[in-house]
Amino acid sequence: MSAAGGFPKWVLLERYLFRRDDNGSFPDESKAPIRASATTSWGADFSIAFSVVEPPRISRLYAHLPEPGFPHPDRELPLYMLATHRHLALLKVSSSEIGVQNLFIFRADEKNPSSSLLKLLPTCTEPRIDYYRCDARLHPCRQPSNATPSRGRRQPSNATPSPRLLSFSLGLWCRDKEEFVVAELTVFVPDDYTNAFADICLLRSSFIGDQLGGKWGSMRVPILPTDDDALWKLSRWETSAIIPFQRWLCWIDYQKGILFWDVSSKVPTPTISFLRFPLDKSPRTSSSPLTTTTCNVFYGGVSVVDHGRLLKFVNVARNDGLVYEALKPGAGFNITCHTLVLGDGSMDWKEDYTITSDELRGQLTLDGVPMFPRVDMYRPHVVHFHYIEFGYGRALKKMWVLSIDMSTKTVESFYLYMDVSVYHKMDYKARLQINNDADFMRSTCLDPTPFPFIPCEFLRFISSFYCRKRKDME
């Protein structure tokens, strides 16, 4: 926690789960003060707890998920933090039985953080989208979920999979302390490439005391604009991240752009806006030809800052043509930062900062690669990165947390977060003694590449209460 003894206003949360199924190893309230418990639809009790620290230090989510209600730690990751917005978070919880999953909403309790709320969302009964009908009506053509296409018919190759809840296309948007939206978006471009649609399955809900209201629904929404280049990009859409921004819920493909859906809009014919990322102007080599894409999921990052008022896009552009491996000898990179400028019905990118690897060379002692950028929520000129040092091939050797002040082109902080090489040199008994690293390594065995940190600001609502409480006591 912060030096003042209260909660930080926001945190960078490790996406890996730190599982503590033995009651004796689950952190107590002094180590993880924000806590909640719930029961799944299959009757399994579980608990979560957040250990929070000021960025750029990394906060962690702990869970008590005892067997047999949950899978063994070596088989599956049974709990994921999917999204956060304001004082809420969306979690996916999996059973030990294949395909049995729940969605839960976490609501931070500003008066009693150790008894925060964790509520099971209602089951989605919406049928799957029928992609064999290609009309532009807002309500999608649907078929029963147990129906199968007739012989000779197949789903178009340019359609992303039909909506399946509990996937990583789910986003969370919160209007105020009571109302929120959970939505999944699936992009569809017909074979004739004349237009593009987004099929959305959504839950509009609200808290009535400690209970949830609302039910799932679905709609087909046109995507604008639809020029030839946009249609080509949308036909190959792969969602990398989902973030809430002002009145929009945004689906991001770091190689294509952003889809903006106005969640708060009540117009009878809603639309979704498509915005490309700014073109990558970094130096090119013979092994890295000029393309229209700007980045990928490892090197791009969209962040909401300044109390939700600004959207920032940071891109790390390598000039060696490689992706997830060490830089080639003599190669470098550029880091650019853009801000989204909103006009009267328009959106555009404005470049704020550019830094080259040469300008950082004397400040970094390792030949690593900055990845997964996250802009500081309260200091928009500071960007936090994973700084990856690779071993043999694409093996992760060490991971550092790097913070750069883009306005002054200086390294603000730099510390070692995970040393995988030391872990692999230990014997089995020694590995068990370093619980956090062991959890991290177990997770990386199931998902070999690191995940970006999750920015969370639900602590801001708790911090405000504690500040008022301390002031009243003075």
Side-chain angles (χ1 to χ4, degrees):
M1 286 194 267
S2 65
F7 292 99
K9 290 184 177 180
W10 78 290
V11 296
L12 285 168
L13 183 68
E14 174 63 80
R15 192 180 288 271
Y16 293 119
L17 176 67
F18 295 87
R19 188 168 171 178
R20 297 290 182 271
D21 297 342
D22 179 1
N23 280 320
S25 64
F26 192 69
D28 60 25
E29 190 174 338
S30 65
K31 296 179 180 179
I34 303 171
R35 311 160 75 83
S37 299
T39 302
T40 66
S41 63
W42 57 91
D45 297 329
F46 71 100
S47 300
I48 62 172
F50 294 90
S51 174
V52 295
V53 290
E54 290 271 6
R57 296 290 169 176
I58 307 304
S59 300
R60 290 178 170 178
L61 170 62
Y62 293 89
H64 175 60
L65 302 162
E67 296 182 76
F70 299 96
H72 188 274
D74 294 334
R75 285 182 49 207
E76 186 181 344
L77 300 177
L79 188 149
Y80 281 97
M81 178 76 77
L82 297 179
T84 68
H85 190 206
R86 293 169 60 87
H87 62 298
L88 301 181
L90 177 66
L91 291 85
K92 181 187 77 171
V93 181
S94 304
S95 165
S96 54
E97 296 183 17
I98 297 175
V100 180
Q101 299 174 328
N102 286 164
L103 287 178
F104 282 85
I105 282 286
F106 166 84
R107 185 178 70 176
D109 189 324
E110 63 180 19
K111 297 182 179 180
N112 188 6
S114 63
S115 297
S116 294
L117 195 63
L118 195 57
K119 296 296 293 184
L120 176 66
L121 292 185
T123 301
C124 178
T125 57
E126 287 294 300
R128 295 173 180 239
I129 303 296
D130 179 5
Y131 285 108
Y132 308 116
R133 294 274 303 278
C134 300
D135 57 58
R137 289 182 297 175
L138 290 180
H139 295 286
C141 309
R142 297 175 292 174
Q143 60 182 5
S145 58
N146 59 353
T148 56
S150 60
R151 177 172 291 186
R153 303 178 78 184
R154 63 180 180 83
Q155 181 168 316
S157 59
N158 58 359
T160 54
S162 54
R164 295 179 181 179
L165 293 179
L166 316 176
S167 73
F168 287 99
S169 284
L170 280 166
L172 172 67
W173 181 88
C174 176
R175 181 191 301 272
D176 53 29
K177 284 192 174 183
E178 305 302 330
E179 298 181 25
F180 66 91
V181 174
V182 175
E184 181 187 56
L185 177 146
T186 306
V187 175
F188 172 58
V189 179
D191 287 332
D192 58 7
Y193 282 78
T194 56
N195 43 28
F197 306 102
D199 289 310
I200 298 176
C201 189
L202 72 152
L203 170 71
R204 290 189 181 271
S205 186
S206 60
F207 284 96
I208 305 172
D210 288 345
Q211 302 302 312
L212 290 177
K215 63 179 182 178
W216 291 92
S218 59
M219 68 176 94
R220 172 165 284 183
V221 182
I223 300 176
L224 304 173
T226 53
D227 57 73
D228 290 344
D229 180 64
L231 287 169
W232 183 88
K233 290 178 181 293
L234 292 169
S235 68
R236 291 157 177 80
W237 185 271
E238 293 184 8
T239 297
S240 307
I242 308 102
I243 61 170
F245 170 58
Q246 295 190 12
R247 68 179 188 271
W248 297 283
L249 193 52
C250 307
W251 281 263
I252 300 166
D253 181 333
Y254 282 113
Q255 291 188 312
K256 313 296 190 313
I258 307 178
L259 296 173
F260 291 82
W261 175 41
D262 189 342
V263 184
S264 65
S265 176
K266 296 182 179 180
V267 296
T269 55
T271 58
I272 290 179
S273 300
F274 172 60
L275 178 68
R276 299 167 179 84
F277 285 121
L279 289 178
D280 177 6
K281 300 178 182 179
S282 61
R284 301 290 179 171
T285 66
S286 58
S287 61
S288 178
L290 181 63
T291 65
T292 58
T293 59
T294 59
C295 62
N296 59 44
V297 67
F298 296 113
Y299 300 106
V302 175
S303 303
V304 179
V305 300
D306 191 24
H307 297 283
R309 290 187 286 263
L310 294 178
L311 193 73
K312 295 276 189 176
F313 168 59
V314 178
N315 183 33
V316 181
R318 299 173 57 146
N319 58 18
D320 60 1
L322 302 179
V323 182
Y324 187 74
E325 53 191 295
L327 285 169
K328 287 183 178 179
F333 54 83
N334 289 357
I335 304 174
T336 56
C337 181
H338 290 77
T339 297
L340 182 65
V341 179
L342 300 175
D344 185 12
S346 65
M347 296 180 177
D348 202 2
W349 295 104
K350 176 186 176 183
E351 184 173 317
D352 299 321
Y353 311 106
T354 300
I355 296 180
T356 68
S357 51
D358 289 338
E359 293 172 306
L360 298 173
R361 197 171 301 280
Q363 304 178 61
L364 295 174
T365 58
L366 300 174
D367 293 325
V369 185
M371 303 170 70
F372 303 116
R374 289 290 180 264
V375 180
D376 194 286
M377 277 192 174
Y378 291 90
R379 297 183 300 155
H381 58 285
V382 175
V383 183
H384 308 288
F385 302 85
H386 290 58
Y387 193 76
I388 305 296
E389 182 182 358
F390 290 93
Y392 178 75
R394 297 182 178 182
L396 175 65
K397 183 179 179 181
K398 294 180 181 180
M399 188 169 77
W400 309 70
V401 177
L402 167 66
S403 301
I404 297 176
D405 187 328
M406 300 289 289
S407 63
T408 60
K409 302 186 178 184
T410 57
V411 174
E412 186 176 86
S413 66
F414 184 59
Y415 70 91
L416 181 63
Y417 179 64
M418 186 63 58
D419 191 340
V420 178
S421 59
V422 170
Y423 179 86
H424 281 304
K425 292 176 183 178
M426 296 179 176
D427 59 30
Y428 179 75
K429 291 183 178 179
R431 292 181 184 183
L432 294 179
Q433 295 175 3
I434 52 173
N435 290 328
N436 285 347
D437 286 5
D439 282 331
F440 182 90
M441 286 306 301
R442 182 183 294 116
S443 297
T444 57
C445 289
L446 295 172
D447 290 287
T449 57
F451 290 117
F453 300 130
I454 307 174
C456 305
E457 65 168 349
F458 57 78
L459 294 145
R460 176 167 65 91
F461 299 88
I462 300 175
S463 297
S464 299
F465 173 79
Y466 273 85
C467 288
R468 293 195 303 269
K469 185 176 180 180
R470 285 198 300 267
K471 190 173 183 179
D472 292 341
M473 294 174 63
E474 293 176 353

